[in-house]
Amino acid sequence: MGLLNTVKDVLAASSSSTNRGTSTNESKGAYWCHDCSERLLDLDVPGEGPPACPECGDEMEFERSPGSTGCAC
């Protein structure tokens, strides 16, 4: 029974953990081009302001639900 209890403990600990990694940077959302369905994570965009879409060149729109606790994808 010791092995079975150990497996149960490991599974319970891994499914209830809120730590999803060790990254110090936390995304606040993503930039989207709705025409091209392109998405760029805000952490991948250099500089300030919205980037141009890599497909069509139009300005991308930042999206994030204010009350959301999940990712922007």
Side-chain angles (χ1 to χ4, degrees), residues 27-68:
S27 173
K28 292 177 179 45
Y31 290 95
W32 289 85
C33 178
H34 297 284
D35 293 335
C36 301
S37 298
E38 286 288 327
R39 175 186 177 269
L40 295 174
L41 187 64
D42 64 337
L43 299 175
D44 296 334
V45 176
E48 296 292 321
C53 173
E55 288 288 319
C56 69
D58 286 347
E59 185 176 284
M60 298 179 87
E61 185 177 335
F62 186 78
E63 291 192 358
R64 176 67 180 200
S65 298
S68 174

